[in-house]
Amino acid sequence: MTATPRSRRLRTLAAALVTTAALSLTACQTGTADATGVVDSTQPPAPGTESAEKQSPATGTDSDTSGASSDSGDSGSSVNSGSSGKEATQVADRKAAKKTTSCTAKGTKVTVTDAPRPINHLLIKTTNTSDTTCHLYYAPYLRFDQAQSAVPFIEESKPQAVVTLEPGESGYAGVLTSTPDGSHPYDATSLTLYYAARSGQGSTGAPSHPALPFDSVRIDSSNAVTYWQTSAADALMW
């Protein structure tokens, strides 16, 4: 049977369609085809889900580590804060437990010495012999022999603050006994000392009877005593 031109065209077209289908199937299996249907196997594959999943655990580990560090810091701060609060409470308790009182004859030792300078002066020294801090208010009330009134205070000697004696510490007062211009002189043989009350009204506690440095001391109308001072030098400035 002789093929006609029409039959040959149909067979040619069918063969072309089979070839195109075969090329398309090959492209799908081996790589990426371009617009012409030719496969380029050099193109890398698109990123897959597996790569992203492999990276996730590292990020999660960093996050957990950061969280652990933060928690540790907060815990340390809490411990430090608690320690500071406890120490502050202990300091406050110690301050509250520390008692103070007015100095009295019962908790002090009083001595009287002759001051080489200036002349006609005595130095009174009182030492806190108790285990409690005490305050020396104003000036000592002094009476020589059986005087009717206490020795006047030297107002210019008033300190800026009350003298406070810790256990074992001492306070001082200077006594001017006489001057060339004084009147009504007499020789005193005894001395009585009273501690001033905090209110400034009268004395507190029992009196002290310190011994004089000599058998007698010349006293006249110029007799005066300083306020309590923290040092002997300050007490003998007047």
Side-chain angles (χ1 to χ4, degrees):
M1 180 178 180
T2 303
T4 64
R6 178 182 176 85
S7 298
R8 285 196 299 271
R9 286 196 301 270
L10 289 175
R11 284 198 297 268
T12 301
L13 179 60
L17 290 174
V18 171
T19 301
T20 301
L23 290 174
S24 297
L25 178 60
T26 303
C28 291
Q29 294 176 347
T30 61
T32 303
D34 60 14
T36 62
V38 178
V39 177
D40 185 0
S41 61
T42 63
Q43 294 296 327
T49 306
E50 183 179 353
S51 298
E53 290 176 351
K54 289 183 179 179
Q55 296 175 359
S56 296
T59 303
T61 301
D62 292 342
S63 176
D64 292 345
T65 302
S66 176
S69 176
S70 177
D71 291 343
S72 176
D74 291 342
S75 177
S77 298
S78 299
V79 172
N80 293 338
S81 177
S83 299
S84 299
K86 184 177 180 180
E87 291 176 0
T89 301
Q90 291 175 345
V91 170
D93 290 343
R94 286 196 295 269
K95 289 182 178 180
K98 186 177 181 180
K99 297 180 180 179
T100 60
T101 185
S102 299
C103 295
T104 63
K106 184 178 180 179
T108 58
K109 179 182 179 181
V110 180
T111 59
V112 180
T113 57
D114 178 49
R117 295 181 182 178
I119 61 172
N120 301 330
H121 275 73
L122 299 177
L123 177 65
I124 297 176
K125 176 183 177 181
T126 182
T127 302
N128 183 1
T129 58
S130 71
D131 57 0
T132 304
T133 300
C134 70
H135 303 293
L136 291 170
Y137 294 106
Y138 305 100
Y141 289 115
L142 303 179
R143 291 181 186 273
F144 285 96
D145 289 347
Q146 301 300 319
Q148 297 298 314
S149 60
V151 175
F153 297 165
I154 300 176
E155 293 299 328
E156 293 84 354
S157 67
K158 187 174 183 179
Q160 295 182 350
V162 174
V163 175
T164 300
L165 302 182
E166 298 288 344
E169 292 184 339
S170 300
Y172 304 85
V175 182
L176 172 62
T177 57
S178 62
T179 64
D181 299 330
S183 60
H184 308 294
Y186 69 96
D187 293 327
T189 58
S190 65
L191 174 64
T192 301
L193 181 151
Y194 295 84
Y195 288 97
R198 179 179 180 179
S199 64
Q201 303 298 319
S203 61
T204 180
S208 177
H209 301 280
L212 293 173
F214 309 110
D215 290 339
S216 63
V217 175
R218 175 58 57 95
I219 301 296
D220 64 21
S221 59
S222 60
N223 184 206
V225 61
T226 69
Y227 280 73
W228 289 112
Q229 308 292 326
T230 57
S231 70
D234 289 342
L236 296 174
M237 288 180 62
W238 289 271

